[in-house]
Each structure stands twice: as C-alpha cells, then as structure tokens.
Amino acid sequence: QITLKESGPTLVKPTQTVTLTCTFSGFSLTTSGVAVGWIRQPPGKALEWLALIYWDDRRYSPSLRSRLTITKDTSKNQVVLTMTNMDPVDTATYYCTRSVTPAYGPDYFDSWGQGTLVTVSS
Amino acid sequence: SYELTQPPSVSVSPGQTASITCSGDKLRDKYVCWYQQRPGQSPVLVIHEDTKRPSGIPERFSGSNSGNTATLTISGTQAMDEADYYCQVWDSSTVVFGGGTKLSVL
C-alpha cells in the first residue's frame, strides 16, 4: 500500500522560509521511473505544480524556481521541500504526490497525500 | 508558458453523460491526465495518457484527445461524481494544470 504524508508548520510569517517534509511508504525513490513531487492549492483555487525529484534528477516550476529547493533522504523515505521568502499569497494546502513514468507516455501523479495547510500571516 | 483552459462549471442530471473539456495549443501532441477532487479531499487520478483508467476507477470514466481539445466523459453520472476536475499535461519538462471544472450533478 502506498502512502504519503506531509508535515510542517501550519503558520509562518511573511519573509520566513518554510520546510515541508513528505514521508512515504510502499515504494522506493531508488526505483527507475518513480518520483515524488509537491503540488499546492490555494483555498478555493486550482492546483499548481511546484517541484519533482527523481533518484537522479529534479525539476522545478519555472515561476518559483528561485525560491524552491527539493531534496531526498532515501534511507528515511522522505522528501523535503524548502520555500523561501514566504508571502500571504503562498497560503495553500501543500500536497505530496508520487509520480510514475509509464512505458511510453509522460509521468502522472498516481498517489497523493492528505495535504497540509500552510498559512502565511504576520 | 503553456496554458490549459477548462470551463469553470458543468452541470449534469443523474444518469446522464457529462463532458468536461480541456483546451490547449496543439493539445493532441501531448498526453493528458485528469484528476478528480471531491470537496475536502485530495485529488485522485482518473485518466492518464489521454484514455487509460487506473485500477479502481469506474468504467464510466473515459478520456479522449483530439486537435486542441481533450475531453473527460462520465457516462451514467452519479451523485458521487460531483467534484472538481483538473486536466494536466507536461510541457517543456514542467507540469501544467488546467484551472479546474466544478461538476454539479443536479
């Protein structure tokens, strides 16, 4: 059974850096074609992709690249997302997801965590 | 940057067929995924690679992609299908989501 769970602060102040941790089970990031990503959703708004990390690669949203860092600890089955210079517009539910690469097509997100709401306010 | 356009809302009567569209430039050249998000829940993958249903997704969900438009079709729509639906593609090694469509089953 595949599970992903997000953890981190629920409230951060503007200009602070937030660190979110995804702890997963049921799969390994050392497997070819498997990745873990972060996707966020502001209240009442659409999904927005942030970052993705594979065993040997990582990708970022172009619009947020300068503020994001994604890392992994395969021994702990964890992926960490760091976002700097937080602003109230970054208030959102942050989801951790598993991505898989099929035989011919591009990756898709087949498993999602429950999400964690991060509020940015002074 | 690449953009995907979805209608904000679609309504359907129970038992009827719902069609949710997703438009983008030369969308036929990309593979489209669809995600269902029920109120207060995390998204769930319902279609990947334009037409493929993951295990556990009912057969009433189907997808197509032609020209500049991809379509998620729900046949025999049920009350439990009321949710937000998002299309998603890859473009230049980045992930793009549509703005989402709220499906109301009235």
Side-chain angles (χ1 to χ4, degrees), chain A residues 40 48-50 60-68, chain B residues 94:
Chain A
R40 71 178 180 180
E48 179 184 20
W49 173 70
L50 300 177
Y60 294 99
S61 164
S63 63
L64 294 167
R65 174 185 291 271
S66 63
R67 299 174 52 205
L68 297 172
Chain B
T94 63

Side-chain angles (χ1 to χ4, degrees), chain A residues 16-69:
Chain A
Q16 286 186 336
T17 294
V18 69
T19 298
L20 300 175
T21 300
C22 173
T23 304
F24 58 88
S25 64
F27 66 97
S28 172
L29 255 182
T30 62
T31 302
S32 177
V34 173
V36 171
W38 287 91
I39 293 165
R40 71 178 180 180
Q41 184 174 38
K45 296 189 177 181
L47 302 170
E48 179 184 20
W49 173 70
L50 300 177
L52 195 62
I53 189 165
Y54 301 81
W55 167 247
D56 56 357
D57 192 17
R58 62 197 72 188
R59 300 175 186 177
Y60 294 99
S61 164
S63 63
L64 294 167
R65 174 185 291 271
S66 63
R67 299 174 52 205
L68 297 172
T69 303

Side-chain angles (χ1 to χ4, degrees), chain A residues 77-90:
Chain A
N77 279 353
Q78 289 183 334
V79 169
V80 174
L81 181 74
T82 301
M83 181 178 289
T84 62
N85 194 24
M86 294 292 283
D87 183 271
V89 300
D90 296 313

